[in-house]
Amino acid sequence: LASATLVPMYLLAHVPPPPIVAASEEGVLAYSPEKLAALRAAGTPVFVDMTADWCVTCKANEHTVLNKQAFRELLKRTGAVYMKGDWTDVNPAISAFLQQYHSPGVPLYVVFPKNGGPGKQLSTVLTSSLVEQALSEAAR
């Protein structure tokens, strides 16, 4: 009788927690290599933001640039898509993207032009003017 009670308790204690799915932010597309390739094939400029919950610099950039109305308006004006990859749990697809750009970690910001040229890696510390220049060039 004791084992009938202990076995389910043991199993329950060793069930992995359900995955935590972050609520999608309005106007932000979750990163995937396939989605990025499709947007690039369609001639859409893309701002890729590789971030993580524990990244202090990422949070500072979000606070000063990326979560501002001016950034959302810039995306609309340039026709760019904001794509975000969350590396909090070390996603292999994001790790591959970081390696492609020789980045040891996050933040990593890359702007892809609408003409299909190579992506332009931005500084790890963003300014509004830096982002505006990169997206304006990508939209030409």
Side-chain angles (χ1 to χ4, degrees):
L1 183 64
S3 66
T5 305
L6 292 176
V7 170
M9 289 175 61
Y10 173 82
L11 292 174
L12 205 82
H14 292 84
V15 171
I20 297 170
V21 179
S24 71
E25 300 170 57
E26 188 175 333
V28 180
L29 191 60
Y31 172 79
S32 82
E34 299 80 14
K35 288 179 193 172
L36 178 59
L39 287 167
R40 299 209 62 209
T44 304
V46 184
F47 182 95
V48 175
D49 170 5
M50 294 302 182
T51 186
D53 286 344
W54 43 260
C55 173
V56 175
T57 305
C58 302
K59 297 301 176 197
N61 287 331
E62 289 169 9
H63 179 74
T64 58
V65 178
L66 302 175
N67 289 346
K68 299 289 186 183
Q69 184 63 31
F71 178 66
R72 290 186 285 279
E73 290 169 3
L74 176 62
L75 291 169
K76 286 180 189 171
R77 191 167 64 246
T78 58
V81 169
Y82 181 25
M83 182 173 275
K84 195 177 212 180
D86 184 353
W87 202 50
T88 300
D89 295 322
V90 190
N91 176 308
I94 295 170
S95 295
F97 188 88
L98 294 172
Q99 287 175 351
Q100 180 182 348
Y101 285 91
H102 309 288
S103 179
V106 293
L108 173 63
Y109 306 102
V110 181
V111 176
F112 293 94
K114 72 176 190 176
N115 67 12
K120 177 181 180 181
Q121 187 171 343
L122 303 183
S123 170
T124 57
V125 177
L126 296 179
T127 64
S128 295
S129 60
L130 173 72
V131 172
E132 183 169 2
Q133 180 182 357
L135 282 172
S136 296
E137 289 173 6
R140 287 188 198 133

